[in-house]
């Protein structure tokens, strides 16, 4: 750990802290890193990565230093793409138990007289996103550079729309192609959806029927959705991406049927029993976002939850990603530990890293070079003190779009204020 | 004000034995018989702060009988631990296994008697469902002893119980013999939220403190009634033999289970464990403890414990903490990775990694590893042999069982984990777990490891 040192890192940090607004990123040469490319080239020992204009332009050995470039000596330390934080409330939840800081759900009802359940698939969390949220900084310095910012259904069926954000502190960090509609199925969806899985599918079919063009509603028809809701849902039904929060194998089958019928690209969120239907998921190329640490049945839908869920799905050819659902906002970074634990339980190391990088980039449409280190990749990179999946490893420097990110957060401020007297911090890279 | 005049304290002790003469709900735990075992050539972290490389550990009759290089094998079965690491069995001081069991359905919500802010009379052990599948998964993570606590809805939630992590059909068969019970108290947001939402006290932090104080004041009064009764009874018994016309036999006060618990806390018979996040609130609780003459064994969660690390160390109070939980409520907003390391740093500092989670309890070693690494980077010298104390001996200390478990020393109970590698790694897994010298878990022979009745015959639950 902590091999090799570089003053360049310190210089970078200073540059970053001193800058304000969007600075034009300068060339960066990261030299002598163990580069996990997430491409067919695999892992390159002692390779150089040249970053220009916010993108990786070259990966190889003995790369020339452009004039004025910042050189970072990696000294063999691992370099990975930035990590995916999973399905989170980053930027829309500051403190879960302070409702005034939580913007994750739209529970819009008609009050006491009307139904509690007014599905609003048009709800979109983006306008609430706060790039200054303390949680973003805390997770970013752990190497989390992008995450799905997702609405929460809070017991209803339609949660609404989310999208992947790059956690670079900008006010509009969302990747347009990543927009996803979120639905909550199974035992967690209760309030206002009839307390029955069958009613969930009934309402889902009704909503889909309302949204389908060519089946105009007649005056006097009972409407589930608002006109905007119908428009928005129609977009997702025409080949859009819908994420279904669902655990039970039989419910996953229902979801796949629904998706096939309506031409939806489904993503399974949770999927505690997904490995039971691994072949089906693999053949329909449906990805799963799972909690790699889940091996106890939190609900009856999760019976059979197992540490081998990830490795079984991966072996079957199902694209997998990770999320730390139980505290997926403040502690989203725990996905990295979860990935390591999955490795200890049989998931190949490279597959675990892919689940944190290239797979989410692919699934959520971030572009073919995203989540990888290759020419054309966005320079969202993390230089690690050691094995990126190891719990004793820390991110030493994070770049997003080629810009070095401040490696300080509110937590490091508190740490430094209360550091025991007489104890000096170790140099970043002794 | 002190209620503990020297004589009073003695009387109260007498009174207490009068209150509950015999231990109800006794432990029926019996150690599994285990043949002698010699673990050969391991890296041993013994829990006292020592690391021994290439050392052997000899177990016989459920006890550790030797530790060091080149031990005589005798009749012991030898286990080659070359490349493997050996630690004491892990101890979690804060678990809700059994009282908030998996699956977390309505019927298993047995951890908070949230019907009154002071329910000191309830015992968590009476909620423990031994078939919680989480016991077995915790065992697979090396946990051999754990304290099950009531939740934190109440100011004074009730008594905790320390269990051996063995499969059993009754909790009594898991109950750690002669381990003191715990008393769970809670600061801050939870009690004031739970009761404030119902328009009853407490609804504020000052309401919380008034609630503790009134409860302990009632307990003092109760103890005095028993002292008085005991004195009268003694006088009566003395008189009875001599006097031909004896006075009426004094009748005892009515027993109050809530106050029994609080009196036991003031007498040091139960270990007081306080859920408390903020530094300032911990300081209030230390003053409360002084006011009523009880000792705080540990603050649990304590995400701000690092702010008062010196005081905790001076007062001999442990911090039972997480490595990285923070921010889910305002009182947890100031969490830092270095909390455990900073609490550990002062002389006499007592840091403990706790879980409060059926997931976290499976990887206490990794939580310790994260905190160790961050502490090291903050400039503290924390080798693995020091950090292992956070999940072994320090935990045992706060539970009042350090004389029996928590370290690998001759004479101690043979609770031992053999790890496949350095336990301070995300890839580390226990290969073997011994409880009382008997093999309780063997990763390479899954059928021999416990599995809850609940999981039998469930679809997808076969292994």
């Amino acid at each position: 750990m902590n091999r090799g040192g570089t003053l360049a890192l310190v210089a970078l940090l200073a540059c970053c802290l001193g800058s304000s607004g969007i600075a034009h990123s300068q060339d960066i040469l990261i030299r002598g890193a163990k580069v996990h490319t997430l491409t067919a080239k695999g892992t390159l020992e002692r390779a150089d990565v040249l970053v220009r204009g916010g993108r990786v332009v070259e990966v190889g050995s003995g790369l020339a230093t452009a004039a004025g470039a910042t050189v970072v000596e990696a000294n063999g330390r691992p370099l990975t793409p930035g990590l995916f934080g999973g399905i989170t409330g980053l930027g829309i939840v500051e403190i879960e138990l302070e409702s005034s800081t939580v913007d994750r759900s739209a529970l819009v009802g008609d009050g006491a007289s009307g139904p509690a359940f007014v599905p609003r698939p048009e709800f979109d969390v983006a306008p609430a996103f706060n790039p200054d949220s303390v949680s973003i900084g805390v997770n970013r310095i752990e190497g989390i550079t992008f995450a799905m910012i997702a609405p929460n259904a809070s017991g209803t069926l339609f949660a609404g729309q989310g999208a992947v954000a790059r956690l670079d502190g900008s006010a509009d960090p969302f990747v347009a192609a990543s927009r996803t509609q979120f639905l909550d199925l199974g035992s967690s969806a209760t309030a206002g959806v009839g307390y029955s899985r069958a009613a969930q599918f009934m309402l889902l079919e009704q909503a889909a029927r309302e949204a389908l063009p060519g089946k105009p509603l007649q005056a006097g028809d009972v409407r589930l959705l608002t006109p905007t809701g119908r428009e928005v849902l129609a977009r997702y039904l025409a080949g859009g991406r819908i994420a279904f929060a669902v655990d039970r194998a039989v419910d996953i089958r229902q979801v796949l049927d629904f998706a096939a019928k309506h031409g939806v690209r489904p993503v399974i969120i949770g999927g505690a029993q997904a490995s039971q239907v691994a072949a089906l998921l693999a053949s329909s190329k449906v990805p799963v976002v799972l909690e790699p640490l889940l091996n106890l049945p939190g609900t009856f839908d999760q019976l059979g939850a197992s540490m081998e869920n990830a490795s079984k799905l991966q072996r079957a050819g199902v694209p997998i990603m990770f999320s730390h659902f139980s505290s997926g906002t403040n502690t989203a970074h725990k996905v990295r530990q979860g990935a390591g634990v999955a490795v200890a339980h049989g998931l190949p190391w490279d597959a675990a890293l892919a689940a944190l990088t290239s797979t989410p980039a692919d699934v959520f449409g971030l572009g073919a070079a995203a989540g990888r280190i290759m020419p054309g990749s966005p320079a969202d990179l993390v230089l690690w003190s050691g094995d990126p999946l190891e719990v004793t490893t820390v991110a030493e420097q994070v770049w997003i779009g080629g810009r070095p990110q401040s490696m300080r957060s509110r937590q490091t401020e508190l740490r430094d204020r209360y550091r025991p007297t007489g104890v000096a911090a170790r140099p970043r890279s002794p | 004000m002190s209620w503990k005049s020297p004589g009073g304290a003695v009387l109260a002790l007498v009174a207490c034995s009068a209150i509950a003469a015999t231990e109800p709900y006794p432990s029926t735990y019996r150690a599994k018989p285990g043949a002698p075992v010699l673990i050969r050539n391991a890296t041993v972290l013994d829990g006292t702060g020592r690391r021994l490389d290439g050392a052997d550990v000899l177990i016989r009759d459920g006890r550790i009988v030797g530790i060091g290089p080149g031990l005589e094998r005798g009749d012991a079965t030898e286990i080659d631990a070359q490349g493997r690491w050996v630690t004491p069995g892990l101890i979690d001081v804060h678990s809700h296994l059994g009282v908030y069991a998996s699956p977390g359905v309505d019927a298993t919500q047995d951890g908070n008697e949230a019907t009154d802010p002071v329910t000191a009379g309830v015992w968590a052990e009476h909620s423990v469902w031994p078939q919680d599948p989480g016991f077995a998964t915790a065992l697979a993570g090396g946990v051999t002893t754990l304290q099950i606590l009531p939740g934190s809805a109440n100011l004074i939630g009730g008594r905790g119980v320390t269990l051996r992590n063995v499969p059993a059909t009754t909790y009594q068969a898991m109950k750690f013999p002669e381990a003191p019970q715990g008393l769970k108290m809670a600061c801050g947001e939870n009690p004031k939220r739970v009761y404030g939402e119902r328009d009853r006290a407490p609804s504020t932090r000052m309401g919380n403190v008034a609630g503790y104080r009134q409860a302990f004041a009632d307990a003092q009064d109760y103890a005095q009634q028993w002292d008085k009764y005991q004195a009268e009874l003694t006088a009566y018994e003395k008189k009875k033999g001599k006097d031909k016309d004896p006075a009426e036999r004094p009748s005892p006060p009515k027993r109050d289970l809530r106050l029994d618990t609080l009196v036991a806390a003031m007498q040091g018979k139960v270990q007081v464990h306080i859920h408390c996040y903020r530094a300032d609130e911990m300081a209030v609780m230390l003053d409360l403890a002084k006011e009523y003459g009880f000792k705080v064994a540990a603050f649990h969660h304590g995400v701000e414990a690092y702010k008062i690390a010196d005081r905790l160390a001076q007062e001999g109070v442990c911090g039972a903490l997480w490595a990285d939980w923070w921010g889910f409520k305002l009182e947890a907003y100031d969490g830092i990775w270095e909390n455990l390391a900073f609490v550990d740093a002062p002389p006499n500092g007592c840091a403990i990694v706790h879980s409060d989670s059926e997931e976290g309890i499976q990887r206490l070693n990794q939580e310790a590893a994260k905190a160790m690494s961050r502490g090291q980077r903050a400039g503290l010298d924390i080798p693995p042999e020091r950090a292992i104390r956070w999940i072994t001996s320090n935990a045992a200390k706060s539970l009042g069982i350090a004389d029996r478990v928590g370290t690998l020393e001759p004479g101690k109970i043979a609770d031992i984990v053999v790890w496949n590698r350095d336990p301070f790694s995300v890839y580390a897994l226990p290969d073997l777990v011994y409880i009382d010298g008997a093999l309780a878990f063997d990763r390479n022979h899954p059928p021999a490891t416990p599995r809850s009745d609940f999981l039998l015959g469930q679809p997808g639950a076969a292994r």
Side-chain angles (χ1 to χ4, degrees):
Chain A
M1 226 172 72
N2 305 346
R3 286 185 309 272
T6 167
L7 290 170
L9 267 181
V10 179
L12 270 175
L13 192 64
C15 124
C16 175
L17 286 171
S19 70
S20 62
I22 314 265
H24 214 287
S25 56
Q26 59 181 141
D27 281 11
I28 301 166
L29 180 62
I30 302 166
R31 204 149 57 183
K34 180 177 183 177
V35 179
H36 297 282
T37 67
L38 281 302
T39 69
K41 290 188 173 162
T43 297
L44 308 172
E45 301 286 343
R46 298 266 164 188
D48 305 340
V49 175
L50 182 62
V51 171
R52 179 172 300 150
R55 293 199 171 262
V56 173
V57 292
E58 212 176 343
V59 181
S61 54
L63 296 187
T65 314
T70 304
V71 177
V72 177
E73 296 294 350
N75 290 309
R77 284 173 292 171
L79 185 75
T80 69
L83 305 186
F84 177 62
I87 312 300
T88 76
L90 284 168
I92 55 172
V93 176
E94 187 67 24
I95 297 171
E96 196 73 51
L97 284 179
E98 288 298 336
S99 59
S100 61
T101 71
V102 177
D103 293 303
R104 209 170 173 177
S105 306
L107 286 177
V108 186
D110 288 349
S113 61
F117 174 62
V118 179
R120 303 296 291 263
E122 65 269 42
F123 174 62
D124 183 345
V125 297
F129 183 80
N130 172 20
D132 295 330
S133 167
V134 164
S135 281
I136 291 177
V138 166
N139 281 285
R140 184 169 50 219
I141 67 172
E142 301 301 323
I144 305 297
T145 62
F146 66 121
M148 173 57 79
I149 315 304
N152 190 338
S154 292
T156 65
L157 184 59
F158 285 93
Q161 307 173 86
V164 166
R166 286 169 80 195
L167 303 177
D168 58 0
S170 62
D172 183 19
F174 291 102
V175 180
S178 67
R179 288 169 75 86
T180 302
Q181 175 71 222
F182 286 81
L183 283 170
D184 209 357
L185 292 168
S187 62
S188 57
T190 50
V193 286
Y195 293 95
S196 161
R197 275 167 245 262
Q200 292 166 14
F201 283 103
M202 174 188 82
L203 292 166
L204 188 53
E205 284 295 346
Q206 184 182 340
R209 187 189 154 83
E210 284 182 24
L212 283 177
K215 297 194 175 174
L217 292 173
Q218 305 300 310
D221 281 358
V222 176
R223 285 165 166 79
L224 198 58
L225 306 179
T226 68
T228 313
R230 291 195 287 274
E231 260 173 49
V232 167
L233 185 59
R235 288 207 294 272
Y236 286 97
L237 292 174
R241 187 186 304 104
I242 302 186
F244 296 85
V246 62
D247 278 316
R248 209 168 65 159
V250 65
D251 296 342
I252 294 173
R253 287 180 184 278
Q254 293 285 354
V255 164
L256 296 185
D257 285 350
F258 174 87
K261 181 175 162 193
H262 294 282
V264 164
R265 286 180 290 151
V267 177
I268 303 299
I269 309 283
Q273 294 186 350
S275 61
Q276 292 180 37
V277 287
L280 188 60
L281 289 163
S283 65
S284 33
K285 295 186 171 53
V286 172
V288 177
V289 184
L290 59 92
E291 165 59 275
L293 302 177
L294 184 78
N295 63 344
L296 286 166
T299 65
F300 272 73
D301 287 12
Q302 296 177 341
L303 284 169
S306 146
M307 300 304 283
E308 280 77 40
N309 199 22
S311 59
K312 284 179 179 169
L313 288 168
Q314 189 270 340
R315 265 201 305 281
V318 179
I320 56 167
M321 294 159 279
F322 299 135
S323 188
H324 184 51
F325 297 115
S326 65
S327 187
T329 297
N330 326 85
T331 322
H333 56 73
K334 199 171 171 180
V335 290
R336 184 167 70 89
Q337 181 183 359
V341 172
V343 170
H345 289 274
L347 184 68
W349 194 96
D350 290 333
L353 187 61
L356 294 170
T357 54
S358 55
T359 304
D362 292 344
V363 167
F364 295 112
L366 272 59
R372 296 168 172 81
I373 302 178
M374 59 190 281
S377 296
D380 298 358
L381 303 169
V382 185
L383 185 64
W384 301 93
S385 65
D387 176 347
L389 302 186
E390 183 55 271
V391 281
T392 49
T393 295
V394 299
E396 297 207 318
Q397 184 59 54
V398 175
W399 294 266
I400 302 181
R403 297 179 62 224
Q405 303 295 303
S406 165
M407 295 305 286
R408 296 196 63 80
S409 71
R410 186 166 178 277
Q411 292 192 350
T412 64
E413 296 295 322
L414 284 161
R415 174 197 66 199
D416 292 346
R417 171 170 286 186
Y418 287 96
R419 188 191 307 273
T421 46
V423 176
R426 291 190 184 167
R428 291 193 74 77
S429 309
Chain B
M1 176 188 97
S2 168
W3 73 287
K4 261 184 147 180
S5 64
V10 170
L11 280 174
L13 282 169
V14 173
C16 189
S17 43
I19 295 173
T22 55
E23 191 68 37
Y25 314 94
S27 171
T28 59
Y29 171 78
R30 298 288 175 275
K32 252 171 63 178
V37 173
L38 179 64
I39 301 165
R40 184 70 93 188
N41 204 14
T43 301
V44 178
L45 307 177
D46 73 358
T48 72
R50 287 195 313 164
R51 167 180 174 150
L52 298 89
D53 289 296
D56 306 338
V57 180
L58 183 61
I59 309 168
R60 191 183 300 279
D61 299 327
R63 301 270 162 175
I64 292 159
V65 295
I67 177 164
L71 298 185
E72 279 297 320
R73 175 179 173 173
D75 59 343
T77 306
E78 190 168 305
I79 290 166
D80 178 12
Q82 170 76 42
R84 297 197 271 184
W85 291 51
V86 170
T87 68
L90 307 190
I91 300 172
D92 190 359
V93 302
H94 194 122
S95 173
H96 299 300
L97 290 179
V99 301
Y100 280 118
S102 298
V105 293
D106 297 343
T108 56
Q109 304 303 300
D110 283 317
N112 270 307
E113 183 54 47
T115 50
D116 191 87
V118 179
T119 56
V122 308
W123 294 12
E125 61 198 77
H126 296 138
S127 277
V128 169
W129 182 43
Q131 299 300 337
D132 184 343
F135 287 115
T137 49
L139 178 64
V143 173
T144 53
T145 295
L146 66 171
Q147 175 173 236
I148 310 302
L149 288 167
S152 53
N154 296 345
L155 299 173
I156 304 177
R159 298 197 196 196
V161 63
T162 297
L163 301 178
R164 310 292 276 140
N165 194 9
V166 293
T169 46
T170 68
Y171 88 82
Q172 292 91 333
M174 304 170 77
K175 198 169 175 178
F176 197 121
E178 288 164 47
Q181 289 177 309
L183 172 62
K184 174 72 177 288
M185 297 176 61
C187 296
E189 292 182 25
N190 287 8
K192 83 185 185 95
R193 181 180 63 247
V194 168
Y195 294 97
E197 281 172 359
R198 300 177 197 171
D199 261 340
R200 56 174 295 194
S203 67
T204 60
R205 285 183 162 85
M206 60 187 173
N208 287 353
V209 177
Y212 317 124
R213 296 185 74 210
Q214 187 61 57
F216 277 101
D218 290 348
Q220 286 178 334
D221 183 60
Y222 179 67
Q224 279 161 9
Q225 287 176 41
W226 276 93
D227 286 351
K228 182 163 170 278
Y229 161 69
Q230 196 64 47
E232 287 169 1
L233 186 64
T234 307
Y236 166 79
E237 295 288 356
K238 209 185 266 178
K239 239 169 133 186
K240 200 171 66 172
K242 301 169 191 165
D243 203 333
K244 282 187 179 170
D245 186 20
E248 201 178 334
R249 184 185 172 89
S251 50
K254 184 177 182 319
R255 271 193 68 192
D256 183 316
L257 298 181
R258 295 192 323 164
L259 301 177
D260 280 354
T261 297
L262 300 182
V263 171
M266 291 189 288
Q267 290 171 340
K269 290 184 172 176
V270 304
Q271 304 283 112
V272 178
H273 294 272
I274 306 182
H275 156 121
C276 211
Y277 285 82
R278 268 177 22 190
D280 56 324
E281 290 194 87
M282 286 185 255
V284 170
M285 297 311 275
L286 290 173
D287 281 353
L288 177 83
K290 278 202 184 72
E291 182 181 8
Y292 292 99
F294 66 86
K295 161 116 180 66
V296 180
F299 285 115
H300 291 227
H301 311 337
V303 299
E304 292 188 9
Y306 63 93
K307 297 183 182 179
I308 51 164
D310 289 338
R311 173 140 186 223
L312 294 177
Q314 279 155 18
E315 305 215 11
V317 177
C318 299
L321 314 170
W322 295 295
D324 57 7
W325 288 26
W326 77 286
F328 40 90
K329 49 182 165 172
L330 188 60
E331 62 190 4
Y333 200 46
D334 284 5
I336 64 170
W337 287 91
E338 295 79 7
N339 196 18
L340 277 148
F342 286 5
V343 167
D344 177 67
N348 201 38
C350 176
I352 298 168
V353 175
H354 75 338
S355 80
D356 189 18
S357 157
E358 70 280 7
E359 180 265 302
I361 194 174
Q362 300 180 43
R363 280 166 290 278
L364 292 175
N365 59 313
Q366 292 182 24
E367 298 306 298
K370 289 188 279 187
M372 177 185 77
S373 160
R374 301 301 170 125
Q376 289 169 347
R377 296 185 74 86
L380 293 158
D381 182 26
I382 313 170
E385 56 269 29
R386 181 173 181 86
I388 196 71
R389 293 151 62 250
W390 303 344
I391 51 180
T392 57
S393 50
N394 285 359
K397 179 180 150 189
S398 85
L399 297 181
I401 51 176
D403 55 331
R404 283 161 284 172
V405 294
T407 60
L408 303 178
E409 295 173 284
K412 284 280 179 79
I413 289 175
D415 289 357
I416 294 175
V417 185
V418 181
W419 301 86
N420 63 347
R421 52 178 291 163
D422 175 359
F424 293 89
S425 166
V426 77
Y427 307 118
L429 293 169
D431 278 342
L432 303 167
V433 181
Y434 293 89
I435 296 180
D436 264 309
L439 188 61
F441 172 80
D442 182 346
R443 188 161 61 92
N444 297 309
H445 297 93
T449 65
R451 193 159 182 80
S452 155
D453 290 353
F454 176 74
L455 292 181
L456 294 182
Q458 295 281 11
R463 61 174 165 199

